[in-house]
Amino acid sequence: MSAAMVPELGWRSPEVEEELPALRLLLTETRVARRGPLTGTSPADVEDRLRELSNHFRGPRAVGIRREPVPAAYRIFFRHIGLDPDVSRTPIEAAVLERMLRGGFPSGGLLEDVLLIALVDTAVPVWALDGESVHGTLGIRASRQGEPLGRSPGAQELPAGRLVIADSTHALGVLFGELAEGHTAGPDTGRLTLFAIQVAGVPTLYVEEALWSCRSALEQP
């Protein structure tokens, strides 16, 4: 991996660093070189890769995914922060369940497909924000009572103490949850901020590979 591809380490509030020392956010910026809208139909190579991954996740592999080391690490973290992974499923388990219900990984458009491929390949989830809407470096902190999720007028208010992804001024997403309205990528978004969440038991190499996979796919002309 070239130096330009090495992701940046996001910040953590002192409280998060003390209570969850293994929790890290890694991020990278990318310029989209693919033709067509990010929300439009995926190119043939991306759709082919989705079909290939669908064929790899059959029967026993799909059922046993939660016992593999990286998915298991996210399950443990969910329980640690008060989420039941059998109710609020980890990203990889949710994707595999969808594959079983639909008979394959469904295509959701170029950006969604690229993020899904990275997730299925590594079990590490990656999210994308419109790079123009991010002020400063991303990090993880607890929300403040009543603060808005994002900068859009009428943005929903957050309760105190929820773990959020934030830039220098605003919360832009709930950890392992929704992203703020107005900050996600649109059809013509040209610059993306990609980020991934690392927890205890997930090797840094897997996180870097997930981000590299997304960048490589999006920067390909």
Side-chain angles (χ1 to χ4, degrees), residues 30-139:
T30 186
R31 290 279 181 181
V32 180
R34 290 276 189 174
R35 294 181 179 178
L38 278 176
T39 54
T41 302
S42 288
D45 63 305
V46 175
E47 291 191 337
D48 288 346
R49 181 61 179 148
L50 267 186
R51 281 192 292 271
E52 181 183 351
L53 290 172
S54 294
N55 291 334
H56 288 170
F57 275 85
R58 297 178 182 271
R61 174 78 195 282
V63 172
I65 187 71
R66 65 176 60 188
R67 293 188 292 273
E68 295 182 9
V70 173
Y74 285 108
R75 285 182 66 85
I76 291 169
F77 180 79
F78 268 41
R79 293 193 186 279
H80 187 69
I81 62 172
L83 296 175
D84 182 349
D86 293 323
V87 178
S88 300
R89 298 186 185 277
T90 64
I92 184 59
E93 288 185 48
V96 171
L97 176 62
E98 186 76 359
R99 181 259 175 267
M100 298 302 290
L101 293 174
R102 302 278 294 270
F105 291 115
S107 175
L110 173 58
L111 180 58
E112 281 193 29
D113 291 352
V114 166
L115 298 178
L116 177 58
I117 288 168
L119 171 64
V120 176
D121 269 336
T122 66
V124 174
V126 178
W127 293 266
L129 291 166
D130 184 336
E132 302 298 334
S133 74
V134 178
H135 296 173
T137 302
L138 294 178

